[in-house]
Amino acid sequence: MTSRRRISATTPLRDCPESNVGLAFPLPISDRLDALVSFAEASGDRTNRKELLASLILAAPSEGHELVEALRKYRQSSAGEARLDGRD
């Protein structure tokens, strides 16, 4: 059994211990993530996939019905809808 150490509520997230999460995305979502990282960097802020995903999780709604709405949208979306360049 593993034990978690307590983290002060005032600790910046970037300084908190990390936990690995093994993830695999559909390729169009992975490509979209790369494009979003590029957009952020083009706007003058260096980032990476890990940091961007963490920021999106932090920004996600905490209301169950809003999360379910987002899940349903994802489940009903096509590969083309993941593109950010407007191409099919």
Side-chain angles (χ1 to χ4, degrees):
M1 178 181 251
T2 61
S3 63
R4 291 184 168 231
R5 70 176 215 208
R6 290 188 174 252
I7 300 169
S8 168
T10 61
T11 302
L13 286 172
R14 69 180 177 275
D15 296 336
C16 290
E18 294 184 347
S19 174
N20 289 324
V21 179
L23 299 172
F25 296 115
L27 286 176
I29 295 295
S30 182
D31 292 345
R32 183 181 178 97
L33 179 57
D34 288 337
L36 291 169
V37 168
S38 294
F39 290 163
E41 290 185 338
S43 294
D45 204 347
R46 292 196 49 81
T47 191
N48 55 48
R49 290 167 60 102
K50 179 178 85 169
E51 184 179 48
L52 182 56
L53 279 173
S55 73
L56 293 172
I57 291 167
L58 184 63
S62 58
E63 295 293 325
H65 69 280
E66 292 178 24
L67 288 170
V68 168
E69 232 177 85
L71 280 168
R72 287 185 180 142
K73 180 179 179 179
Y74 168 75
R75 290 173 180 159
Q76 295 171 357
S77 294
S78 67
E81 291 174 89
R83 295 189 66 103
L84 292 172
D85 60 10
R87 297 185 309 183
D88 287 335

